[in-house]
Amino acid sequence: MKTLYIECNMGAAGDMLMAALLELLETQEDFLHRLNHLMPEGVSVHLTPSEKCGVNGSHVHVLVHGAEEGEGAHHHGTNHGHDHGHTHFHDHPHSQDHAHPHSGLSDIEAMIDAMEISETVKTDAKAVYQLIAEAESKVHGKKVEQVHFHEVGTLDAVADVVGTCLLMEEIGPQRIVVSPVHVGCGSVQCAHGQLPVPAPATALLLAGLPIYGGTVEGELCTPTGAALLKYFGDAFAVMPAMTVEKIGYGMGTKDFADRPNCVRVLLGHSEEEMQPPTQEDVIELAANIDDMTGEELGFAMERLLAEGALDVYFEQIVMKKSRPAVKLVCMCQVAQQETFAAQILKYTTTIGVRASQCRRFVMDRHTEKRQSPWGEIDVKVSSGYGVTKEKVEFDQVAAIAKAQGLSISQVKKEIK
């Protein structure tokens, strides 16, 4: 399984994560050209070499009208550069002035929607921002729509978030594992005064995930970094057994004497854990029917599936007096058995329904986007018990085959 491991021994920030992922690409300049083409006027993203404690990596600079956020300013001892503060929301939008206009979440979503990127990246980027906005709104006791960014910080953060989401799509890991997150210790100065580390919004975003304080003074994990890790992480644990193929280092701004200030990413393949498929109890409802037409039975199946049945099928049977008939079988969740029994009685001529409880073994399932000459195609991937199966979305393949005058097999061969 294609696995990405994100090591957060010195926390995480949006720019550090983007730089680390960029190091995994062979065509960094092409990616930066595309990303810069997407950014609003006056915003540019640059990648420069960086060395910390003998470790070579890369640092991302986001320039807004030629300047980097916080340039020349004191960063309150934070580990990182521009990422600190750009997710700070202002809950007094009417106090904004012309020198520092603010943007709300809806403005940022509109900016992302206007970009020429895939719907997947748009969805990912907006979801990351939603996480941040919800955390900040809880901290400040305001509604999500009442919290705002400074303009420079907004444009800076958009580059970090959209860039990271684009890289995740391009790299295409099947599983993302994140290490326990080092958040730092002490306190950090902000507009509201001295705040404990991790800052309140960051602490909310990391709730439920493994974090630790350590001995490093300052804020090591920013809200943007926390939101990206929370959104993309499939698991939070030590590095799994994996064959590493590529390694990337995304450097922060601050220097530490005894450790490199970086996010490290390792891309490779891990063996699927030999765990049994998921087990769950389900109910099989059955009814024997000998007095309905095929059209009527088809309608009953359609209605049961539309109501959320796990599966519906027919079996050929022979009833008393040698009458040919069908057995309707409807599978549903245990808690839904009475609901679906009532639906069977409603849509069929039967006057009785049998119920049997069964143990069902199911593989983990998800849908991936694959490329073809005719656009993206959905592929259903099922895995478990050391087995992986893939199946393309037939309706999409059939539609392309009809439109292009090709066979199904010809279209399937072009899916990458």
Side-chain angles (χ1 to χ4, degrees), residues 121 260 361:
V121 174
F361 297 86

Side-chain angles (χ1 to χ4, degrees), residues 149-167:
F149 300 87
H150 272 308
E151 181 190 33
V152 174
T154 295
L155 297 173
D156 180 281
V158 166
D160 287 346
V161 172
V162 172
T164 299
C165 292
L166 278 167
L167 285 163

Side-chain angles (χ1 to χ4, degrees), residues 159-376:
D160 287 346
V161 172
V162 172
T164 299
C165 292
L166 278 167
L167 285 163
M168 286 296 190
E169 180 183 55
E170 185 142 335
I171 295 167
Q174 295 170 285
R175 185 181 185 219
I176 299 173
V177 182
V178 181
S179 75
V181 182
H182 189 180
V183 296
C185 65
S187 61
V188 62
Q189 181 70 34
C190 76
H192 300 278
Q194 288 277 344
L195 293 178
V197 172
T202 304
L204 274 176
L205 285 162
L206 295 174
L209 307 180
I211 64 176
Y212 61 99
T215 59
V216 178
E217 290 275 345
E219 181 184 33
L220 299 185
C221 188
T222 66
T224 302
L228 286 165
L229 295 176
K230 183 170 187 173
Y231 180 73
F232 282 108
D234 296 312
F236 291 78
V238 296
M239 185 171 68
M242 58 187 288
T243 303
V244 177
E245 298 170 359
K246 294 181 179 180
I247 303 174
Y249 292 86
M251 300 303 189
T253 305
K254 194 173 181 182
D255 292 311
F256 294 89
D258 60 344
R259 65 195 78 189
N261 180 18
C262 66
V263 167
R264 181 166 70 166
V265 294
L266 299 96
L267 182 67
H269 286 80
S270 62
E271 292 296 322
E272 180 76 13
E273 293 183 5
M274 295 293 286
Q275 297 293 332
T278 303
Q279 301 180 31
E280 62 179 5
D281 289 336
V282 295
I283 297 295
E284 275 194 3
L285 301 173
N288 296 347
I289 302 168
D290 65 354
D291 56 353
M292 291 179 68
T293 65
E295 291 90 346
E296 291 169 334
L297 288 168
F299 178 77
M301 172 186 281
E302 178 185 301
R303 295 313 308 151
L304 291 167
L305 290 171
E307 294 289 340
L310 297 173
D311 196 9
V312 180
Y313 59 93
F314 298 112
E315 294 179 355
Q316 295 291 337
I317 60 173
V318 177
M319 295 176 62
K320 60 184 179 182
K321 300 183 180 178
S322 301
R323 291 199 303 267
V326 297
K327 180 171 78 170
L328 180 152
V329 181
C330 172
M331 291 176 55
C332 67
Q333 302 290 350
V334 175
Q336 297 176 305
Q337 56 184 310
E338 292 187 9
T339 298
F340 280 101
Q343 296 295 317
I344 293 172
L345 293 170
K346 176 180 178 180
Y347 292 116
T348 72
T349 57
T350 190
I351 58 174
V353 178
R354 303 181 300 278
S356 303
Q357 186 159 333
C358 305
R359 175 64 51 86
R360 186 170 74 145
F361 297 86
V362 294
M363 301 176 80
D364 292 329
R365 290 158 285 182
H366 68 278
T367 300
E368 296 180 0
K369 299 287 186 182
R370 299 286 174 82
Q371 298 299 320
S372 80
W374 310 280
E376 290 184 336

Side-chain angles (χ1 to χ4, degrees), residues 75-200:
H75 289 302
H76 315 301
T78 183
N79 170 16
H80 311 295
H82 63 265
D83 190 48
H84 176 68
H86 71 209
T87 51
H88 175 72
F89 285 70
H90 297 267
D91 29 282
H92 301 293
H94 300 298
S95 67
Q96 57 186 278
D97 53 52
H98 295 293
H100 299 287
H102 300 150
S103 297
L105 183 60
S106 60
D107 299 317
I108 294 166
E109 290 177 338
M111 189 187 306
I112 293 170
D113 280 328
M115 293 180 179
E116 294 182 6
I117 51 181
S118 70
E119 288 301 317
T120 298
V121 174
K122 288 180 182 180
T123 299
D124 290 345
K126 289 188 290 186
V128 170
Y129 264 103
Q130 185 68 34
L131 286 174
I132 302 169
E134 288 173 356
E136 293 283 358
S137 69
K138 288 179 182 177
V139 168
H140 297 296
K142 302 289 183 179
K143 293 181 179 178
V144 170
E145 56 269 21
Q146 290 179 297
V147 290
H148 289 71
F149 300 87
H150 272 308
E151 181 190 33
V152 174
T154 295
L155 297 173
D156 180 281
V158 166
D160 287 346
V161 172
V162 172
T164 299
C165 292
L166 278 167
L167 285 163
M168 286 296 190
E169 180 183 55
E170 185 142 335
I171 295 167
Q174 295 170 285
R175 185 181 185 219
I176 299 173
V177 182
V178 181
S179 75
V181 182
H182 189 180
V183 296
C185 65
S187 61
V188 62
Q189 181 70 34
C190 76
H192 300 278
Q194 288 277 344
L195 293 178
V197 172

